Amino acid sequence: MEQEIQNQVSIMIGKYGWLFIVGVLTLLFRSTIEKFVAGLTIFMGNDYNEDDVVEVDGKPGRIVRCGIWSTTFFTYDIVDGIIVGGSKLVIQNDKLKDIKIEKPLPLLDLSKYKVDTTCNDLLTELTKIQTITDKCKNCPDDNCGELLTELTRVQKKQENKK
């Protein structure tokens, strides 16, 4: 009976022993595997590319290298619109999710699009109304007759346009 059990165990280990070893290795190297997968998604994806201009936690910078394990940034210190210094910032790819990284959109050439300007007049008039109303609210005396007259005139003008 004992010999039969040993034979069964030998057969099980022989057939499925590799699965047990893989499971143990996976548990031992779990964090390394997670970091590798995170790095692979950054490295193979198109979210971040070398020479992209980005903002890293509010500081302007540039991506220098996207590797499998880490991403390298050069961040710049700007004072009064002048670059006065900078630093090299190396971040592990699995930590990128904890950092605010903004990638500005390229400037668009709006000249090829038709712009609707029909609301510009209305927006200007509404801004005037708001300005007049604010002045009347902040007026210490009740001598706002002129402002209220202007407000009424603008409101009537808008009603006539409708």
Side-chain angles (χ1 to χ4, degrees):
M1 176 97 163
E2 207 172 293
Q3 184 66 21
E4 193 175 311
I5 292 173
Q6 285 180 351
N7 286 340
Q8 290 295 325
V9 170
S10 296
I11 290 171
M12 291 292 278
I13 290 176
K15 279 186 174 178
Y16 301 108
W18 66 271
L19 192 59
F20 176 74
I21 293 171
V22 168
V24 168
L25 289 175
T26 302
L27 289 175
L28 289 175
F29 296 107
R30 185 177 134 214
S31 66
T32 305
I33 293 169
E34 287 174 351
K35 289 178 183 179
F36 179 75
V37 170
L40 202 58
T41 57
I42 297 294
F43 187 71
M44 300 301 276
N46 286 330
D47 291 339
Y48 305 109
N49 297 313
E50 292 180 5
D51 290 331
D52 279 351
V53 176
V54 295
E55 281 191 15
V56 182
D57 284 337
K59 289 182 73 174
R62 182 173 61 87
I63 297 176
V64 179
R65 187 172 93 66
C66 287
I68 290 181
W69 299 106
S70 64
T71 300
T72 305
F73 299 90
F74 280 166
T75 58
Y76 304 104
D77 298 323
I78 298 177
V79 176
D80 296 328
I82 300 171
I83 297 175
V84 294
S87 59
K88 179 181 176 182
L89 181 64
V90 180
I91 303 172
Q92 291 181 355
N93 287 337
D94 63 323
K95 304 290 184 200
L96 285 175
K97 65 183 180 308
D98 300 331
I99 296 173
K100 181 179 179 186
I101 300 174
E102 294 183 31
K103 189 174 174 181
L105 295 174
L107 295 175
L108 296 175
D109 180 19
L110 297 177
S111 63
K112 60 184 173 185
Y113 299 104
K114 184 177 179 180
V115 179
D116 184 13
T117 58
T118 56
C119 293
N120 283 345
D121 295 335
L122 179 61
L123 185 60
T124 304
E125 294 296 329
L126 289 174
T127 306
K128 285 181 187 177
I129 291 171
Q130 187 63 43
T131 305
I132 293 169
T133 305
D134 290 344
K135 285 181 183 177
C136 286
K137 286 179 185 174
N138 297 329
C139 185
D141 9 332
D142 290 332
N143 297 331
C144 287
E146 182 181 315
L147 291 174
L148 289 173
T149 305
E150 177 67 18
L151 177 61
T152 308
R153 184 189 68 74
V154 171
Q155 283 177 335
K156 286 182 181 176
K157 185 177 177 183
Q158 289 302 319
E159 288 174 6
N160 290 337
K161 284 187 178 180
K162 291 178 184 177

